[in-house]
Amino acid sequence: ELRAMTAEHRALLNSAVDAGSAVANVNLASLDPALRSEIRSSAEALEEKEELVSCQILIYELERIFTYLEAELGNTVSKGYIPLQDRLNVAEFGLLESQIESFEKQLEAGEYVDPDVLAVVLDQVTDFKRRLGIDYYVTGLTFDREAIQRFLADLLEKTKS
C-alpha cells in the first residue's frame, strides 16, 4: 500500500514538471491551485502512511524482543533471583515499549509524529536487538577491538600459568 501511494505521489509530482525542463524542479507557487492542493494532500497522506509503517515495524520488533526476553528469563521463581543484566534489559524494554505506545496513541488521535524521533527510536530498537544478539546487521567484516584485546590478554595469562 505504501509503495502504491509513493508511486501515485511521484506520478502527481511528475505531472507538475514541465516536459522540456532539464531539472525536475516543482515550483508550487506557479502551479494551478487545485493541483497544488492535490500535491500537498498527497504528500501529507504519504507521510502519514510512512509514520504508520514505521510504527508497525517498531511494534513488530518490540514483540520479537519480548519473545526473546521471555525465553531468556525463563522461570525466575525456580532460579530465585534475576541477574542484573536481565533486569536492565527488561527496564530498557519497558522504556522502549512506553515510547512506542505513545507513538501509537498519537497516530490513533491523528496527531503528527516527528519522523526524526521515530528514526531515533528505531535506531535504539536496532541497537538493543544487536546487544541482545537478535539480528546481526553485517555490512562487511568488522572486528571488535576490545573483544580481541581481551581474548589475547586472557590467552597470555593462561600461557603464563
Side-chain angles (χ1 to χ4, degrees):
E1 191 175 341
L2 178 63
R3 286 187 189 133
M5 285 183 76
T6 303
E8 290 172 11
H9 182 69
R10 282 193 183 132
L12 187 60
L13 287 174
N14 287 338
S15 71
V17 175
D18 294 329
S21 69
V23 181
N25 284 337
V26 178
N27 186 359
L28 290 175
S30 65
L31 293 178
D32 179 49
L35 181 60
R36 181 176 38 214
S37 173
E38 190 176 349
I39 288 173
R40 283 196 177 131
S41 64
S42 172
E44 289 171 1
L46 183 62
E47 190 174 295
E48 186 176 313
K49 184 58 77 176
E50 287 171 344
E51 290 172 0
L52 185 63
V53 168
S54 294
C55 196
Q56 288 173 342
I57 289 170
L58 285 171
I59 292 167
Y60 170 74
E61 297 297 346
L62 205 63
E63 288 174 356
R64 291 184 63 211
I65 291 170
F66 174 79
T67 303
Y68 174 82
L69 287 175
E70 187 177 40
E72 276 296 305
L73 292 176
N75 188 359
T76 56
V77 175
S78 64
K79 291 180 187 176
Y81 71 96
I82 301 173
L84 176 63
Q85 188 58 46
D86 289 343
R87 286 184 275 166
L88 292 173
N89 288 338
V90 169
E92 186 171 354
F93 175 82
L95 290 172
L96 288 170
E97 183 183 33
S98 66
Q99 286 177 320
I100 294 169
E101 200 172 285
S102 71
F103 294 154
E104 281 183 288
K105 288 178 183 174
Q106 283 178 309
L107 288 173
E108 287 172 2
E111 296 176 10
Y112 176 77
V113 177
D114 189 3
D116 294 334
V117 175
L118 273 174
V120 167
V121 173
L122 191 56
D123 286 344
Q124 287 174 343
V125 168
T126 302
D127 181 56
F128 189 41
K129 284 175 28 185
R130 181 191 57 77
R131 286 184 281 120
L132 289 174
I134 306 171
D135 293 346
Y136 285 104
Y137 291 103
V138 179
T139 57
L141 186 60
T142 59
F143 295 101
D144 184 359
R145 179 177 224 126
E146 289 179 35
I148 293 171
Q149 287 174 343
R150 223 175 310 126
F151 173 75
L152 292 175
D154 290 345
L155 185 62
L156 181 63
E157 191 65 36
K158 285 180 184 177
T159 56
K160 283 183 181 178
S161 55

